[in-house]
Amino acid sequence: YEPEGVDFASDRCLSDATVPTALFDSVIDNLLQNALEKRKREPGVKILVQMMEGGRSLAVSDTGSPVPEEVVVGLFAAPVASEDGLGIGLYHAALQASESGYSLRLTANADGNVRFEMVQTAA
């Protein structure tokens, strides 16, 4: 995704992180695809992927417009219609995260600061 202008950051060397690869690939891919779709509608949106705590926390944020409140209410609980689709991807990502001991949340939702985080909930 770097050729797409996505920035990546980590609080430590990624080769030292022990993470469920299939989960991270799936969730990151879904969140990045959503952010890239937003960028098509809102040129200039910056996208950042951050891995923190050695893989216990992952965040994808963008500088675009917030997720509409009518979408936020059902986010992660069921497929939710959105501008770009049916929201099935986020619903499945949240289920997959939960089954692997992580939670997926929308932690910031303001103009210029939209942030999704996946955090490990089980040891």
Side-chain angles (χ1 to χ4, degrees):
Y1 286 99
E2 286 179 301
E4 299 282 343
V6 175
D7 293 319
F8 290 84
S10 177
D11 64 354
R12 63 180 67 167
C13 179
L14 291 180
S15 62
D16 295 339
T18 305
V19 299
T21 308
L23 171 66
F24 274 55
D25 285 350
S26 175
V27 172
I28 290 172
D29 189 54
N30 182 271
L31 294 173
L32 283 175
Q33 288 302 319
N34 291 346
L36 290 168
E37 285 299 317
K38 181 188 287 189
R39 183 189 279 163
K40 287 179 186 176
R41 296 187 314 273
E42 303 174 24
V45 166
K46 294 181 181 177
I47 302 167
L48 174 64
V49 177
Q50 295 173 285
M51 186 181 297
M52 294 129 335
E53 302 176 46
R56 293 191 44 170
S57 176
L58 167 81
V60 176
S61 55
D62 70 65
T63 60
S65 61
V67 178
E69 281 305 313
E70 61 271 12
V71 174
V72 170
V73 245
L75 210 55
F76 310 122
V80 178
S82 68
E83 289 185 55
D84 302 313
L86 299 175
I88 293 171
L90 279 178
Y91 172 64
H92 282 285
L95 286 176
Q96 188 180 9
S98 178
E99 290 170 0
S100 298
Y102 286 78
S103 66
L104 182 59
R105 304 176 309 222
L106 177 63
T107 58
N109 193 34
D111 194 33
N113 182 24
V114 178
R115 181 180 178 94
F116 288 87
E117 286 188 31
M118 184 173 70
V119 179
Q120 188 174 26
T121 55

